[in-house]
Amino acid sequence: MSLILFACVVRVRDGLPLSASTDFYHTQEFLEIRRRLKTLALRLAQYPGRGSAQGRDFSIHFSSSGDVACMAICSHRCPAAMAFCFLETLWWEFTASYDTTCIGLASRPYAFLEFDSIIQKVKWHFNYASSAQMGSSLEKIQEELEFQPPAVLTLEDPDVANGVMNGHMQMPLEPAPNFRMEPVTALGVLSLVLNIMCAALNLIRGIHLAEHSLQVTHEEIGNILAFLIPFVACIFQCYLYLVYSPARMTKVVLMLLFICLGNVYLHGLRNLWQILFHVGVAFLSSHQILTRQLQEKPSDCGV
């Protein structure tokens, strides 16, 4: 009997199933665990990054990152490290095939049904490949699970069966880290330093202007906001560079727009060279954010 029996990809925010493997099992026990999996999928946004739900003969494992989660029904003989290595591989395959915009706009169940062939391929690999073939991937996942165990949910609890969280949910202090960004480059460090400098200048000028305004007119309020809004945008640009965030393109464009419009509004309080400096730093930071991608998945964890 296979160790990994069923797998699916769902959208975290609403549990919408995006793709799933073909179901070849129709026993009463398996149909019941499928029903429990659907219930868990609807509440994934409340769970940490990794979790397991143990049944009598089957177990459910799930791993979520961003807006996508992968879930699997496994035999009770399947090691947890193997299940989570499978889910991580599946997540990489799916996110490499579909961007966040397509995932976010999906409106019907199984909108990416063609991904079933990839799920079957990955499932077959993990069911029939030896531990030696999986190599360091299993060891790495095993170390992560020992350092930060997944949340454990008891399926037999009637409240859990109805989809209500209760005391059986063992929440770790932090969700398991799943996003791994490429290393920070020297140019990236420079963009961070310059961005922090621009943020500090905007904050100082904005506070100074607010403190020394004898009469707060609409123009003065506009100038103060034109300093403070780019300050917030600069800080958020630093965050976007350091931490992966879904829909980065949209957020980067908005931050760049705020900075450019704020500096154009401040023409007169700043000379042309100062405006060009702030806008140039914003463009440099935007470029660094968009070019810093997720790391390639380990070659020995794929198929």
Side-chain angles (χ1 to χ4, degrees), residues 78-94:
C78 181
M82 176 180 173
F84 284 110
C85 190
F86 164 75
L87 293 174
E88 183 172 307
T89 302
L90 201 61
W91 183 91
W92 280 110
E93 293 286 351
F94 189 84

Side-chain angles (χ1 to χ4, degrees), residues 156-170:
E156 280 72 15
D157 191 289
D159 291 334
V160 174
N162 292 327
V164 180
M165 291 183 65
N166 53 69
H168 290 282
M169 191 67 176
Q170 300 176 3

Side-chain angles (χ1 to χ4, degrees), residues 49-280:
R50 286 181 181 147
S52 297
Q54 303 293 335
R56 185 174 63 254
D57 298 319
F58 304 100
S59 58
I60 296 174
H61 301 280
F62 58 88
S63 178
S64 62
S65 294
D67 201 31
V68 175
C70 296
M71 308 181 73
I73 296 176
C74 303
S75 165
H76 68 278
R77 298 181 294 108
C78 181
M82 176 180 173
F84 284 110
C85 190
F86 164 75
L87 293 174
E88 183 172 307
T89 302
L90 201 61
W91 183 91
W92 280 110
E93 293 286 351
F94 189 84
T95 54
S97 302
Y98 307 100
D99 58 33
T100 54
T101 302
C102 293
I103 295 169
L105 292 177
S107 58
R108 58 183 177 84
Y110 306 105
F112 309 105
L113 192 58
E114 68 278 1
F115 189 72
D116 169 51
S117 60
I118 302 297
I119 298 178
Q120 297 289 12
K121 184 179 179 182
V122 177
K123 187 157 67 78
W124 186 93
H125 173 79
F126 276 85
N127 277 330
Y128 297 103
S130 64
S131 298
Q133 288 177 293
M134 299 179 196
S136 60
S137 297
L138 281 179
E139 296 177 5
K140 179 175 70 68
I141 296 295
Q142 184 62 49
E143 290 175 359
E144 292 181 5
L145 295 180
E146 291 175 359
F147 176 74
Q148 195 169 49
V152 177
L153 192 63
T154 305
L155 286 178
E156 280 72 15
D157 191 289
D159 291 334
V160 174
N162 292 327
V164 180
M165 291 183 65
N166 53 69
H168 290 282
M169 191 67 176
Q170 300 176 3
M171 300 289 286
L173 294 178
E174 296 179 81
N178 286 304
F179 285 115
R180 300 178 181 87
M181 301 290 289
E182 292 177 347
V184 175
T185 63
L187 191 58
V189 173
L190 176 62
S191 71
L192 285 174
V193 172
L194 293 176
N195 224 339
I196 293 172
M197 182 188 303
C198 290
L201 290 173
N202 286 321
L203 180 62
I204 293 170
R205 290 293 303 275
I207 293 176
H208 182 271
L209 187 61
E211 288 178 344
H212 292 80
S213 296
L214 298 177
Q215 183 178 2
V216 181
T217 63
H218 289 293
E219 183 179 357
E220 291 296 332
I221 293 175
N223 290 334
I224 293 170
L225 290 177
F227 280 116
L228 296 183
I229 291 176
F231 158 72
V232 175
C234 288
I235 296 300
F236 195 61
Q237 277 193 326
C238 294
Y239 170 81
L240 289 175
Y241 179 72
L242 295 173
V243 180
Y244 180 83
S245 175
R248 281 193 302 171
M249 175 66 77
T250 302
K251 295 174 183 177
V252 166
V253 171
L254 282 176
M255 295 307 104
L256 183 60
L257 184 63
F258 288 149
I259 293 172
C260 292
L261 291 178
N263 279 276
V264 169
Y265 188 87
L266 291 171
H267 182 64
L269 293 179
R270 279 180 172 158
N271 61 41
L272 181 60
W273 291 109
Q274 290 173 326
I275 293 174
L276 289 177
F277 173 75
H278 282 266
V279 172

